[in-house]
Amino acid sequence: IFFRCCTMAPQSGNMVQGAVLQCLEAATLGMPFEVWKTRMGRNRHETTIEAFKNVYKSGGAQAFWKGTSAKMVESATKGCILLYAKESILASLNKTGTSPGIAGALAGAGGGICQVSVMGPCTFLVTAVVTQKNATVGQFMKQTWAEQGIKGFYPGGSAIAMRQASNWASRQGFTEFVRNQMRNAFHGGDKKAKLTNRQEIYSGIIGGIMACWNHPFEVARIEMQASAAAGEAKVNMVTTLRNIHSTNGTQGLFQGVIPRVGLGIWQTLFMVIAPKLIANYMEKK
């Protein structure tokens, strides 16, 4: 059924692919990396290993999938939006002869910004249940809606927008740049050459790692949403970054970057490389 959907009109096929791939990404290693990273972003005194152990102590292996219900809603909607917007922009830019790296960065940024509408509430709920004790998604939804209405689900919206735009601009842009270098190194510079599956995967891994330069935005997002969930006073993103730096130094702005690297690689493989591999597969059928 999935591969039949991939033969639909490009826009419709991208929407189905995006929803399915993003859900698969989250349900496998994506969610554990997200929970691990979120704990470190909030509890910046913990080391990488301490945070991992403390997540496990809080509920065993299943604690790494805490907040999955909200995450699946987020994944299906943001994946659908991302692939639809990103691939549409990328196809248009490629027709104009824009360089692969720049086209990838612009397409990724556009797709990332489009995701914010659905990601705000979902990331807020996941952050809330990970950082607050004995909390459930349902409890926070009811409490937030009763106290603040719809706007209460968007704390840290500016940080999410900055993160998502730079996330996918970097993941798509760096990956396209590496793919182009692969063509130069292994295919004689032929711009239309098809990379092997292994070369595509290596490109995604390198692109995913390089894209983690923007981790301070993610730490700010976690802090802003966790503070909102705890009922603390609201502050903007710039103030949040300053507070983190004054309390934890530069290291604090990069707390949780190791699980973030794992998440970046995993998401890039699913949302940048997998669509290309699927397209190659469908062409051969």
Side-chain angles (χ1 to χ4, degrees):
I1 295 174
F2 174 70
F3 285 107
R4 284 184 182 177
C5 290
C6 294
T7 63
M8 298 165 62
Q11 292 85 353
S12 301
N14 285 336
M15 292 174 71
V16 174
Q17 276 191 56
V20 173
L21 290 173
Q22 194 84 76
C23 284
L24 287 173
E25 171 271 318
T28 49
L29 292 179
M31 198 63 199
F33 279 132
E34 182 73 35
V35 170
W36 187 9
K37 173 198 67 177
T38 299
R39 182 178 179 90
M40 292 189 71
R42 179 59 167 169
N43 301 283
R44 291 182 295 279
H45 60 282
E46 296 181 355
T47 66
T48 302
I49 301 301
E50 285 174 345
F52 185 90
K53 290 180 178 178
N54 287 335
V55 171
Y56 186 81
K57 288 178 183 178
S58 70
Q62 66 183 18
F64 286 95
W65 278 269
K66 191 174 184 180
T68 297
S69 57
K71 190 67 176 179
M72 287 298 101
V73 174
E74 175 196 345
S75 295
T77 50
K78 79 174 184 179
C80 172
I81 291 171
L82 173 69
L83 215 60
Y84 177 88
K86 177 172 70 70
E87 294 300 316
S88 298
I89 296 170
L90 187 61
S92 297
L93 290 173
N94 285 337
K95 291 178 182 178
T96 67
T98 307
S99 69
I102 294 175
L106 292 174
I113 291 173
C114 289
Q115 287 183 316
V116 178
S117 59
V118 296
M119 285 192 66
C122 295
T123 56
F124 169 64
L125 292 172
V126 172
T127 300
V129 298
V130 171
T131 59
Q132 302 296 310
K133 292 183 178 180
N134 303 318
T136 66
V137 171
Q139 288 173 345
F140 265 102
M141 286 182 67
K142 292 178 182 178
Q143 178 183 333
T144 303
W145 181 263
E147 294 177 356
Q148 303 178 59
I150 188 66
K151 69 177 182 179
F153 291 93
Y154 286 89
S158 58
I160 296 173
M162 291 293 291
R163 183 196 70 171
Q164 287 309 107
S166 55
N167 261 0
W168 291 108
S170 300
R171 288 170 182 167
Q172 188 78 39
F174 283 135
T175 300
E176 292 297 337
F177 173 79
V178 174
R179 292 180 77 242
N180 197 47
Q181 298 308 305
M182 289 277 189
R183 291 192 186 94
N184 292 335
F186 301 107
H187 300 277
D190 182 0
K191 294 183 179 180
K192 296 183 179 180
K194 295 283 188 182
L195 300 184
T196 66
N197 289 351
R198 182 174 295 182
Q199 290 167 353
E200 291 281 14
I201 291 170
Y202 286 159
S203 298
I205 291 172
I206 296 170
I209 293 172
M210 294 174 69
C212 291
W213 66 269
N214 67 345
H215 192 64
F217 293 139
E218 174 64 353
V219 175
R221 189 276 302 173
I222 293 170
E223 181 67 19
M224 292 171 76
Q225 291 187 330
S227 296
E232 299 173 10
K234 292 182 180 180
V235 293
N236 61 38
M237 184 180 68
V238 174
T239 302
T240 299
L241 288 169
R242 286 176 179 168
N243 291 342
I244 293 170
H245 187 270
S246 64
T247 304
N248 305 103
T250 302
Q251 180 181 344
L253 296 174
F254 289 90
Q255 189 74 353
V257 73
I258 292 178
R260 175 83 188 288
V261 166
L263 181 61
I265 292 172
W266 201 240
Q267 290 191 336
T268 303
L269 290 176
F270 271 87
M271 303 309 293
V272 177
I273 298 302
K276 298 182 186 300
L277 297 180
I278 292 170
N280 291 342
Y281 173 77
M282 296 305 296
E283 286 178 7
K284 294 176 181 178
K285 290 195 68 176

